[in-house]
Amino acid sequence: FFWDAVSAGDMPTPASASPLVTTPSGSTPAAEESLRVAVIGSGPHALSLLCRVVDDDADLLDEAERTRVAAKAGSRARSHAEVRKALQRRFVDAAAHLAGVAVFDSGGEWMGQWRRDFSALEIEHCRSHSDLHPCPHDFQSLRVWAEKHKRELEMWHMAYLDRGAARAAGFSGPYALPGTRLFLDFCASLVARYKLAPLVRKATVAAVEVIPPPPDACAGAACSFRLRLADGTSVRAARVVCAMGPGPMFAGMRANLPWWCEAAAGSLAAAGGCGGLPRLCHSSQ
């Protein structure tokens, strides 16, 4: 979810349940820090975005092209040797690309909430297949990284999936799910290679306010945004990226549930609740 700088006439009208509000352009706290980009959340979506900002040799295939390449074992795909070499690169100039960028997260670390959720819920493997990951360089990066570190056995094969039916529906693989430890370690390697650790600040964003341009600004001048933090301080930003996933902060955003949830929810309801509490919840609930 991306809030860009917009003209005053295009500013969104905030809903009463939304954390987005509009404040007068003159109400600026003293010595307020100003950022180019503020990212809220430090999970894989934020990680993917900032890696892509830094990487000058990214995989620019769209999803349809990537599927065709994977299905044909790839005339346009990079070789594993090429990907392996790229995975050794460290982006020493990352700071220049990320000047004026900060990531705000309540836990203060990359992938912290994912790590805690994996542990608390005893999740052994990801729900998404091995080509869905934050590395922008190549869709094969996670598989090649696992191979390089001799961790192929941490890939869980989709034994329950009817591959014929999947191909008929347009999915040609891969049919492997990365283990959660493998996925977290791969993400940690990206944080190290792209020099992203210093960007994360331990802070909770309580509200995001739209700051209209000054009254004397030229026509079409862009607005900016103010992040109100839970500790009472604030930060101003030209652009805001909300990378927290669906949840209570964004009323109306749909929680994406796997296909089996509807039947499971019905069975659990028939079996009776747990002290009045729901027994099946989305992680945002």
Side-chain angles (χ1 to χ4, degrees):
F1 190 76
F2 183 65
W3 285 329
D4 199 350
V6 296
S7 65
D10 294 331
M11 284 191 301
T13 301
S16 59
S18 171
L20 177 64
V21 297
T22 306
T23 58
S25 57
S27 58
T28 303
E32 187 175 52
E33 182 183 8
S34 183
L35 298 170
R36 285 195 304 134
V37 180
V39 181
I40 307 173
S42 60
H45 295 95
L47 181 57
S48 178
L49 168 68
L50 297 184
C51 287
R52 176 63 187 91
V53 169
V54 173
D55 202 320
D56 57 1
D57 189 24
D59 166 12
L60 300 179
L61 299 175
D62 63 28
E63 194 62 32
E65 290 174 323
R66 191 173 293 116
T67 299
R68 286 196 297 271
V69 168
K72 296 177 181 177
S75 56
R76 290 185 59 190
R78 294 181 172 111
S79 69
H80 278 208
E82 290 178 288
V83 178
R84 192 178 299 111
K85 181 178 179 180
L87 291 176
Q88 297 175 355
R89 180 183 177 188
R90 291 184 173 269
F91 294 84
V92 295
D93 60 343
H97 294 283
L98 298 171
V101 177
V103 178
F104 297 87
D105 185 82
S106 298
E109 60 176 335
W110 283 105
M111 299 295 294
Q113 188 62 53
W114 282 61
R115 183 179 297 103
R116 289 187 289 274
D117 287 348
F118 285 156
S119 175
L121 300 174
E122 299 181 357
I123 300 173
E124 295 183 295
H125 62 75
C126 297
R127 195 175 72 190
S128 301
H129 64 68
S130 57
D131 286 358
L132 298 176
H133 54 75
C135 180
H137 178 73
D138 194 276
F139 65 90
Q140 306 168 98
S141 291
L142 177 52
R143 285 186 277 150
V144 173
W145 192 86
E147 178 186 281
K148 178 177 181 287
H149 291 276
K150 303 186 186 306
R151 297 178 64 174
E152 303 99 314
L153 294 179
E154 294 181 53
M155 291 287 187
W156 294 63
H157 293 281
M158 301 181 189
Y160 52 83
L161 187 67
D162 183 333
R163 298 193 180 189
R167 291 190 184 96
F171 179 67
S172 302
Y175 299 96
L177 307 174
T180 50
R181 288 183 59 188
L182 174 68
F183 183 74
L184 290 172
D185 289 348
F186 176 69
C187 290
S189 76
L190 296 178
V191 171
R193 291 177 48 236
Y194 287 85
K195 311 295 183 185
L196 301 179
L199 297 182
V200 180
R201 305 182 185 185
K202 187 174 183 178
T204 299
V205 177
V208 179
E209 302 170 355
V210 178
I211 311 298
D216 58 351
C218 61
C223 70
S224 59
F225 304 91
R226 176 172 293 122
L227 279 65
R228 297 283 185 184
L229 307 183
D231 64 2
T233 62
S234 64
V235 177
R236 192 160 177 164
R239 294 172 177 83
V240 177
V241 178
C242 294
M244 304 111 65
M249 286 294 286
F250 293 101
M253 286 185 70
R254 184 171 64 88
N256 291 313
L257 298 172
W259 58 268
W260 46 265
C261 275
E262 185 174 352
S267 299
L268 289 170
C274 183
L277 298 174
R279 299 177 63 187
L280 179 64
C281 296
H282 187 267
S283 60
S284 65
Q285 296 173 311

